[in-house]
């Protein structure tokens, strides 16, 4: 049985058995050769005595490291310890559990009682440190830093490189990323860990472009001060799944390991100075939003397979191609917007709330509204993404920038001149009162006198003045013709955004302004509370368009239009079934099957092996909802995902080992992760199957197996009086737990029950699956018996 696993290096994924004293190095004469140029010829030795595994360094040049500490003498190893030899990382594997006893002829479940319980511990009390997550990794490195060290004294190298690393780190944090490590002359950063965002790849791409821009400006200072003409950086990005967890001894810290990280690092080394290289999954997620130049396949160190690479050039600018996607199933809502447009042209405005789940089609509906409105209105839309920490700007600021004809991120010295030119033409003398506050909204300073007046205001008074100025500007635009103001993702609104929204809501009743807010159903958000107030206080001026999932027929029509005949009907049925009416999920799954050639795994009780298959962008979108939960509720969502899409209410407490789940379940229901269905058989259900898949995908296989075993035990004890109706479920959970023998026993019981009930179609399916499992476990007696049962079934049908 393997004791070690190589998790990083040229032989990542290789397992190693240590059953005697084993010397390690990179040359002949040792027991285990590792092809790593940074490993010494005789580097270290592993020793095993019973259950004890030790490592000792053999005087190697680069040393042997365990959990970040250099080894001196012998060190005893424990499961999950991380060992570093050169650039090769090995993880100590836990010993396998003892072989389970063969199942009894008849299961003897113990009913759950208040005294006995099911689990020994509350599974929510100790959240797991290890997870699988989709991330976009960013590696940025100074080109030729060794040469800098030769030309400058250490204190100047520290100043020069330190400023460069600080600037890069600041940009990463502005876009919601996390700097994982500082490598002296560069950084490693994650987007998607420890928290996922639905647009992590885009965040990473924008951060990389901003880093190149920022360090390019800094390079001019470097050339002037230190006379280093070739100072530059290069960046690598790669998206994929990684294993995350805590490593270290006294000071444990999070790490992310896997091929995704290795490829990102290698792409960075292949990038030309001042450029960014991205891997295939990153390129796929950035498609149509960024300019990418294909470079073909490149060979990277430590990897047998070549990597497809692209050069990231820039973000695409301009409006979205609204005609690019089909418009299906929202005709009633578009008809309401058509009526609203007629009223708008007759001088009456409205507040329009477009609400629904992520991916349900809110933006696409507004795009169709814009196509319908055409040149008849002045269209002002906030469409760019604002990232945590990047700016305190309100999303309303972009509506002003678009009116000024500026890019989403203009140079600071462009904004004020544009305002000073445009506002007097629109407002005349009144512009002097509006300009300093719109300038503040756009994060620029007006003339010194006005700027001092703005700075003297309290935050609350400043917000009031900005709201008044914004409303004055919109009213002046509406005097020239109908205006539509669109703000996306209003569930993320802060106090300033809400104040601006309140001022526009008061305005729509008297001027031709349609104020359109797009927001998700997040009941605790400031934006959602504004929605509730608007509907209660001014219902005659407020319209809500709630978007629900598409019907099966609408989904099929949408897939057919997106696929344009390139996908066979059975695959269309799979895609529509799993998307459950969500257009974005449908589009992402369709891309998966068309680009990779995969078929989607059916969610059944079949004895299949879980494999990661959600597109990274879709998984990140779903996982962001899970990550937003409090720790115990998040852990409960993971456990519930193992239990199933739908399950009886009494099962989850039995699995977790505590009845006190009210707070966590309330949080999951409030966050629209689970819903409760009452009735004769009350149950909980994930609101979307793919949401369950995302929660399940974060669990490493050992955790999943143990949880499946816990669920099987809970079912046996909870439903002991009616266990026969759960035979197939128990076969499923035991198979996923790795107990194939017990799974076979339950599958045979389920098949016998179906045969006795004359449900011959179901029985044939169960006997066939039992046959495959019996062959897998090499149970010849079971194979012969199952073959007889199948023969008898076929004889009946004949």
């Amino acid at each position: 049985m393997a004791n070690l696993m190589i998790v990083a290096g040229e032989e990542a994924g290789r397992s190693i058995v240590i059953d005697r004293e084993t010397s390690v190095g990179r040359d002949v004469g040792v027991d285990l050769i590792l092809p790593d140029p940074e490993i010494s010829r005789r580097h270290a030795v592993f020793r095993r005595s019973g259950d004890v595994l030790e490592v000792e360094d053999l005087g190697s040049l680069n040393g042997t490291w365990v959990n970040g500490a250099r080894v001196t003498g012998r060190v005893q190893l424990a499961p999950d310890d991380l060992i570093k030899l050169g650039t090769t990382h090995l993880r100590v594997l836990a010993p396998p559990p003892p072989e389970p006893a063969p199942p009894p002829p008849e299961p003897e479940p113990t009913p759950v009682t208040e005294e006995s319980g099911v689990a020994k511990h509350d599974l929510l009390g100790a959240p797991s440190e290890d997870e699988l997550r989709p991330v976009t990794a960013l590696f940025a490195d100074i080109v030729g830093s060794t040469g800098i060290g030769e030309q400058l004294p250490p204190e100047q190298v520290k100043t020069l490189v330190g400023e460069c690393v600080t600037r890069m780190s600041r940009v990463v944090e502005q876009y919601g990323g996390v700097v994982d490590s500082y490598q002296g002359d560069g950084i490693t950063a994650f987007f998607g860990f420890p928290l996922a965002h639905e647009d992590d790849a885009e965040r990473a791409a924008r951060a990389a472009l901003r880093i190149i821009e920022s360090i390019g400006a800094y390079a001019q200072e470097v050339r002037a001060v230190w006379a280093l003409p070739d100072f530059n950086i290069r960046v690598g990005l790669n998206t994929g799944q990684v294993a995350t967890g805590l490593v270290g001894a006294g000071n444990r810290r999070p790490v992310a390991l896997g091929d995704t990280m290795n490829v990102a690092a290698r792409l960075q080394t292949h990038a030309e100075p001042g450029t960014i290289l991205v891997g295939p999954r990153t390129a796929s997620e950035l498609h149509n939003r960024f300019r990418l130049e294909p470079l073909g396949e490149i060979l990277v160190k430590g990897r047998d397979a070549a990597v497809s690479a692209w050069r990231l050039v820039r973000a695409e600018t301009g409006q979205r191609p609204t005609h690019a996607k089909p418009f299906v199933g929202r005709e009633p809502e578009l008809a309401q917007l058509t009526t609203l447009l007629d009223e708008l042209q007759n001088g009456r405005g409205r507040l329009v709330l477009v609400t629904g789940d992520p991916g349900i089609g809110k933006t696409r509906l507004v795009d169709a509204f814009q196509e319908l409105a055409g040149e008849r209105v002045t269209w002002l839309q906030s469409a760019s993404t604002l990232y945590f920490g990047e700016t305190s700007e309100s999303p309303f600021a972009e509506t002003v920038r678009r009116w000024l004809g500026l890019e989403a991120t203009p140079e600071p010295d462009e904004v004020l001149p544009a305002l000073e030119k445009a506002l007097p033409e629109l407002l005349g003398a009144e512009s002097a009162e509006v300009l300093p506050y719109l300038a503040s909204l756009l994060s620029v300073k007006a003339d010194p006198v006005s700027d001092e007046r703005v700075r003297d205001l309290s935050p609350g008074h400043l917000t009031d003045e900005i709201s008044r100025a914004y409303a004055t500007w919109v009213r002046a635009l509406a005097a020239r013709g109908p205006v539509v103001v669109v703000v996306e993702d209003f569930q993320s609104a802060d106090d300033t955004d809400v104040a601006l929204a309140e001022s526009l809501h008061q305005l729509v009743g008297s001027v031709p302004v349609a104020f359109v807010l797009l927001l998700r159903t997040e009941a605790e958000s400031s934006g959602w509370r504004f929605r509730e107030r608007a509907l209660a206080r001014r219902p005659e001026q407020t319209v809500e368009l709630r978007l629900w999932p598409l019907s099966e027929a609408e989904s099929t029509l949408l897939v057919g239009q997106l696929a344009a005949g390139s996908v066979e009907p059975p695959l269309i049925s799979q895609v529509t079934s799993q998307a459950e009416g969500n257009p974005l999920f449908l589009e992402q799954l369709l891309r998966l099957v068309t680009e990779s050639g995969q078929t989607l795994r059916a969610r059944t009780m079949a004895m299949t092996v879980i494999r990661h298959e959600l597109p990274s962008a879709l998984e990140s979108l779903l996982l962001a909802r899970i990550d937003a939960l409090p720790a115990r509720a998040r852990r409960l969502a993971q456990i519930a995902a193992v239990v199933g899409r739908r399950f009886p209410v009494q099962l989850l407490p039995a699995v977790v080992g505590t009845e006190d789940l009210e707070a966590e379940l309330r949080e999951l229901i409030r966050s629209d992760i689970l819903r409760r269905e009452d009735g004769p058989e009350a149950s909980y259900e994930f609101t979307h199957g793919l949401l369950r898949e995302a929660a399940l995908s974060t669990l490493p296989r050992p955790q999943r197996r143990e949880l499946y075993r816990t669920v099987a035990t809970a079912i046996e004890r909870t439903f002991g009086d009616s266990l026969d109706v759960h035979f197939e479920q128990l076969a499923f959970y035991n198979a996923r737990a790795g107990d194939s023998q017990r799974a076979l026993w339950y599958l045979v019981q389920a098949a016998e029950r179906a045969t006795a009930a004359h449900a011959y179609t179901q029985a044939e399916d169960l006997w066939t699956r039992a046959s495959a499992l019996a062959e897998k476990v090499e149970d010849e007696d079971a194979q012969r018996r199952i073959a007889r049962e199948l023969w008898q079934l076929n004889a009946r049908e004949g």
Side-chain angles (χ1 to χ4, degrees):
M1 184 63 65
N3 312 115
L4 302 171
M5 174 71 73
I6 299 177
V7 295
E10 292 195 4
E11 297 191 324
R14 175 184 173 187
S15 58
I16 297 170
V17 177
I18 304 294
D19 54 8
R20 57 183 176 82
E21 183 171 305
T22 303
S23 56
V24 181
R26 63 178 176 86
D27 210 345
V28 293
V30 296
D31 301 310
L32 176 62
I33 297 175
L34 295 177
D36 185 338
E38 295 190 25
I39 288 180
S40 299
R41 295 179 183 276
R42 284 179 54 80
H43 197 105
V45 61
F46 289 93
R47 298 184 180 89
R48 187 171 190 84
S49 175
D51 293 331
V52 177
L53 182 64
E54 296 179 332
V55 64
E56 180 181 2
D57 187 73
L58 296 178
S60 63
L61 181 63
N62 294 323
T64 300
W65 302 73
V66 175
N67 297 330
R70 189 162 185 163
V71 169
T72 57
R74 293 189 181 188
V75 172
Q76 185 171 321
L77 301 171
D80 288 330
D81 279 351
L82 195 66
I83 306 159
K84 179 176 178 291
L85 310 174
T87 62
T88 301
H89 294 70
L90 304 96
R91 186 180 293 280
V92 180
L93 302 178
E99 289 294 325
E106 292 289 341
E108 298 180 1
T110 304
V112 175
T113 66
E114 292 184 1
E115 293 78 17
S116 66
V118 170
K120 294 181 179 179
H121 305 287
D122 177 1
L123 292 181
L124 303 187
S128 171
E129 297 173 345
D130 297 331
E131 287 191 340
L132 302 175
R133 300 183 66 86
V135 305
T136 297
L138 180 151
F139 281 72
D141 180 61
I142 298 174
V143 180
S145 58
T146 303
I148 295 173
E150 292 176 345
Q151 298 177 57
L152 300 177
E155 63 273 15
Q156 293 188 26
V157 172
K158 186 266 177 189
T159 299
L160 187 156
V161 174
E163 175 63 18
C164 182
V165 169
T166 297
R167 290 187 179 212
M168 292 190 291
S169 302
R170 185 181 299 123
V171 170
V172 166
E173 292 167 0
Q174 286 172 349
Y175 282 86
V178 174
V179 177
D180 174 63
S181 63
Y182 300 93
Q183 301 159 344
D185 58 353
I187 62 171
T188 302
F190 303 127
F191 292 82
F193 170 63
L195 295 176
H197 306 97
E198 62 193 72
D199 53 356
D200 280 313
E202 180 173 346
R203 289 169 179 258
R206 293 188 182 278
L209 290 167
R210 183 70 67 84
I211 285 173
I212 293 294
E213 177 186 346
S214 175
I215 302 306
Y218 180 55
Q220 297 179 19
E221 300 178 32
V222 171
R223 285 192 287 270
V225 176
W226 285 286
L228 295 172
D230 298 326
F231 180 81
N232 214 326
I233 63 162
R234 55 193 176 192
V235 181
L237 297 178
N238 193 41
T239 301
Q241 196 177 46
V242 299
T244 66
L246 298 180
V247 300
N251 183 23
R252 291 166 65 79
R253 60 185 299 274
V255 297
L257 299 171
D259 187 55
T260 297
M261 306 297 297
N262 299 335
V263 170
R266 299 306 182 190
L267 287 171
Q268 174 257 311
T269 62
H270 279 265
E272 294 293 328
T275 68
I276 306 160
L277 290 194
V278 304
R281 292 184 72 171
T282 311
S284 176
E285 294 188 22
L286 301 180
H287 181 64
N288 285 336
R289 290 173 292 165
F290 291 80
R291 172 73 180 275
L292 299 166
E293 294 179 352
L295 301 179
E297 293 192 336
I298 60 176
L299 294 174
V300 299
K301 183 179 179 182
R303 213 170 183 272
D304 292 334
V307 175
S308 298
W310 283 258
R311 180 179 291 112
L312 174 61
V313 180
R314 65 172 183 269
E316 295 288 12
T317 58
Q319 296 283 0
R320 287 186 297 263
T322 58
H323 60 279
K325 293 182 181 180
F327 184 77
V328 172
R330 305 300 185 200
E331 288 78 10
E333 292 81 6
L334 188 60
Q336 286 185 264
L337 290 173
T338 302
T339 301
L340 183 146
L341 182 61
D342 293 338
E343 294 177 350
L344 191 63
Q345 292 181 299
N346 290 327
R348 182 183 179 187
R350 292 284 186 92
L351 168 65
V352 183
L353 302 166
V354 184
T355 61
D357 293 336
I360 205 67
K362 300 184 292 295
T363 300
R364 184 64 188 95
L365 175 63
V366 170
D367 288 344
F369 182 33
Q370 184 177 7
E371 293 178 60
L372 183 69
E375 301 298 324
R376 291 180 286 176
V377 304
T378 298
W379 191 275
L380 305 170
Q381 182 164 357
S382 166
S384 67
T385 305
L386 295 180
Y387 303 105
F388 293 113
E390 178 189 1
T391 176
S392 58
E393 243 179 32
S394 161
F396 289 87
E398 192 186 352
T399 62
V400 181
R401 277 199 299 268
R402 290 207 169 189
W403 175 69
L404 294 172
L406 299 174
E407 297 290 345
T409 55
E411 294 297 326
D413 58 3
E414 296 178 338
V415 179
L416 187 59
L419 269 176
E420 291 174 334
K421 178 182 178 181
L423 283 180
E425 296 177 3
L426 177 70
L427 294 168
E430 197 176 8
S431 66
E433 289 299 316
V434 171
L435 189 144
Y437 302 108
L438 288 188
S440 179
L441 179 67
L442 294 169
S443 302
V444 296
K445 296 179 180 180
D447 63 86
V449 174
S450 297
D451 183 56
E452 183 176 358
R453 184 173 59 186
V454 169
R455 284 189 287 108
D456 287 343
L457 293 175
S458 67
H461 285 151
L462 177 59
T463 296
D464 291 341
E465 290 298 327
I466 290 174
S467 300
R468 181 191 59 76
Y470 190 89
T472 300
W473 169 66
V474 173
R475 183 184 293 108
L477 289 173
R480 296 182 172 185
V483 176
V484 177
V485 179
V486 181
V487 176
E488 300 190 47
D489 292 324
F490 194 69
Q491 74 282 346
S492 302
D494 62 15
D495 291 343
T496 300
D497 302 332
V498 171
L500 283 161
E502 295 280 7
S503 67
L504 284 189
H505 196 197
Q506 294 176 24
L507 192 66
V508 296
S510 57
V511 297
V513 174
F515 180 31
V516 184
L517 295 179
L518 282 61
L519 65 164
R520 300 174 183 177
T521 51
E522 296 181 6
E524 299 302 317
S525 68
S526 298
W528 194 260
R529 288 195 291 270
F530 168 80
R531 164 197 168 271
E532 292 174 339
R533 290 195 302 272
L535 290 170
R537 295 176 183 175
R538 299 185 182 91
E540 72 287 350
Q541 297 174 8
T542 307
V543 176
E544 181 172 25
L545 303 178
R546 178 68 187 270
L547 301 189
W548 301 100
L550 300 176
S551 68
E552 182 176 353
E554 291 167 341
S555 296
T556 301
L557 176 61
L558 181 56
V559 173
Q561 293 184 20
L562 288 169
S566 62
V567 179
E568 296 296 324
L571 204 52
I572 290 179
S573 178
Q574 285 189 21
V575 169
T576 56
S577 173
Q578 294 190 24
E580 298 182 21
N582 186 295
L584 177 63
F585 297 179
L586 188 151
E587 181 184 359
Q588 291 280 346
L589 292 173
L590 184 63
R591 281 183 58 190
L592 174 69
V593 299
T594 55
E595 293 179 4
S596 67
Q598 296 184 47
T599 57
L600 298 178
R601 172 170 52 82
R603 276 62 178 173
T604 68
M605 288 292 182
M607 302 299 118
T608 55
V609 177
I610 286 182
R611 59 184 175 87
H612 176 72
E613 66 175 24
L614 289 179
S616 294
L618 176 53
E619 186 176 6
S620 294
L621 184 151
L622 296 164
L623 194 55
R625 296 177 61 184
I626 304 293
D627 284 348
L629 297 167
R632 286 175 62 88
R634 184 179 187 279
R635 181 61 174 161
L636 185 62
Q638 292 175 312
I639 296 170
V642 173
V643 179
R645 171 73 187 274
R646 182 175 181 173
F647 45 86
V649 295
Q650 66 267 43
L651 184 55
L652 199 55
V655 173
V656 174
T658 177
E659 296 291 333
D660 186 19
L661 296 177
E662 183 178 348
E664 290 78 16
L665 286 168
R666 186 166 57 246
E667 184 67 33
L668 292 177
I669 292 171
R670 185 196 66 78
S671 301
D672 206 29
I673 306 295
L674 293 182
R675 56 174 167 254
R676 175 170 174 142
E677 297 186 4
D678 292 317
E681 297 182 358
S683 62
Y684 291 110
E685 181 179 22
F686 277 87
T687 55
H688 199 286
L690 295 183
L691 195 57
R692 181 216 168 201
E693 292 286 324
L696 192 62
S697 72
T698 63
L699 294 172
R701 183 168 295 181
Q703 283 190 47
R704 283 203 308 265
R705 283 194 168 193
E706 191 55 41
L707 284 170
Y708 279 123
R709 192 184 311 278
T710 303
V711 174
T713 302
I715 291 175
E716 288 177 344
R717 295 184 176 182
T718 305
F719 302 106
D721 294 338
S722 58
L723 204 60
D724 56 339
V725 300
H726 299 282
F727 283 152
E728 188 178 354
Q729 283 181 293
L730 286 164
F732 168 82
Y733 290 119
N734 279 287
R736 291 289 170 85
D739 193 344
S740 298
Q741 193 67 51
R742 194 168 187 86
L744 174 60
W745 189 89
Y746 275 119
L747 204 54
V748 167
Q749 305 310 306
E752 288 181 342
R753 183 173 184 268
T755 302
H758 307 296
Y760 297 129
T761 300
Q762 181 188 11
E764 182 176 10
D765 173 63
L766 291 167
W767 284 120
T768 301
R769 285 157 50 189
S771 177
L773 198 54
E775 184 177 352
K776 175 184 175 182
V777 300
E778 299 180 349
D779 188 333
E780 295 181 358
D781 290 341
Q783 290 180 60
R784 285 192 292 270
R785 179 194 169 190
I786 293 168
R788 287 196 302 271
E789 294 288 348
L790 283 170
W791 182 85
Q792 291 174 3
L793 275 178
N794 291 329
R796 286 191 187 96
E797 292 177 359

